[in-house]
Amino acid sequence: MDDHTDQTRKPRADAVRNRERVLEAAKAVFNAGGPEASLEAVAKRAGVGIGTLYRHFPTREDLFEAVYRREVEQLSELAEQLKNGDPVDALRRWLHSGVEFVATKKGMVAALALAVQSGSELHAFSFERLTKAIGSLLDRAAAAGAMRADISPEDLLRAFFGMCYMHDQPGWQSSVLRMLDVFVDGLRVRPVVKAKVRAAAKPAKPAAKRKR
């Protein structure tokens, strides 16, 4: 019975591994973008036949949607993993990882144009997960007194995606990462600055009279 159980389990385990290899390969291929971002390139990078790819993902759109969902799930999990340590650095690292997500999404934006349209189930899924993830990091930073509390998760996501989609030239990621660092630093609460403002507000002491 054990041998029979092993024999029935192995194909399923292999299928799971193949699926994960295809998704990881697809992420890399779509991230690079360009004319080389084909399903054949994905299968080759994953080390599987094109037939294996189609058994898991019958259409191009099925593969793109699976990659997209996987990226959203990983960003959600990353937010949980970053809850220990410096809250501002955690938010910065999450946003940096988000740039890679956008790069992958840009590589398959044409196929996702219909699937991710506003109001679709996939759009609702991604918006809910990403808002919750970035909101937890933002709330933690604000509660620690390290970051402004007057910015919402939705505001931060809009600013983030705005930065990413303003840039379409090769090497855009490095520019966005630099802008994100400046943006996050601008949201910091700096007690030292407040102390200087309070000191400046105090009336100046009268100058001591010189003795003759």
Side-chain angles (χ1 to χ4, degrees):
M1 184 179 292
D2 290 341
D3 290 342
H4 176 70
T5 302
D6 289 341
Q7 289 175 1
T8 57
R9 284 180 178 174
K10 282 181 181 177
R12 279 188 264 172
D14 289 344
V16 170
R17 283 195 296 270
N18 283 340
R19 187 178 190 277
E20 284 301 308
R21 286 163 64 185
V22 168
L23 289 174
E24 192 62 31
K27 173 184 174 180
V29 170
F30 298 149
N31 192 298
E36 302 302 319
S38 65
L39 297 189
E40 289 75 14
V42 172
K44 182 178 180 180
R45 187 180 182 94
V48 302
I50 192 68
T52 298
L53 186 152
Y54 279 118
R55 276 197 296 275
H56 289 287
F57 308 102
T59 69
R60 180 185 296 267
E61 289 73 20
D62 289 334
L63 176 58
F64 287 177
E65 182 173 336
V67 172
Y68 184 84
R69 286 180 179 275
R70 183 172 181 263
E71 290 287 281
V72 171
E73 291 284 7
Q74 288 179 343
L75 279 175
S76 298
E77 293 169 3
L78 179 61
E80 289 295 320
Q81 296 166 9
L82 291 174
K83 283 189 174 179
N84 296 321
D86 180 78
V88 175
D89 183 60
L91 181 62
R92 188 194 310 275
R93 289 174 60 188
W94 190 90
L95 290 169
H96 279 205
S97 295
V99 172
E100 186 176 354
F101 162 71
V102 173
T104 304
K105 184 181 174 186
K106 281 186 175 185
M108 52 188 183
V109 67
L112 280 171
L114 295 177
V116 194
Q117 61 182 320
S118 181
S120 72
E121 189 275 333
L122 185 58
H123 178 272
F125 163 82
S126 61
F127 183 78
E128 178 186 356
R129 293 298 181 91
L130 295 179
T131 302
K132 182 178 179 181
I134 201 171
S136 65
L137 296 172
L138 190 58
D139 289 345
R140 180 169 169 265
M147 186 164 287
R148 296 173 53 150
D150 59 346
I151 182 169
S152 69
E154 294 82 3
D155 290 337
L156 193 49
L157 275 180
R158 277 192 290 268
F160 168 72
F161 283 114
M163 291 181 201
C164 290
Y165 283 97
M166 278 176 59
H167 296 74
D168 283 319
Q169 299 300 317
W172 65 268
Q173 290 98 324
S174 59
S175 177
V176 171
L177 290 174
R178 187 169 60 253
M179 289 173 61
L180 282 172
D181 287 342
V182 174
F183 182 71
V184 171
D185 286 342
L187 295 177
R188 283 178 178 271
V189 172
R190 305 182 187 277
V192 175
V193 175
K194 286 186 175 182
K196 288 181 179 179
V197 171
R198 286 197 298 269
K202 291 181 180 179
K205 294 182 180 180
K209 294 182 178 180
R210 289 184 297 176
K211 294 181 179 181
R212 295 186 178 181

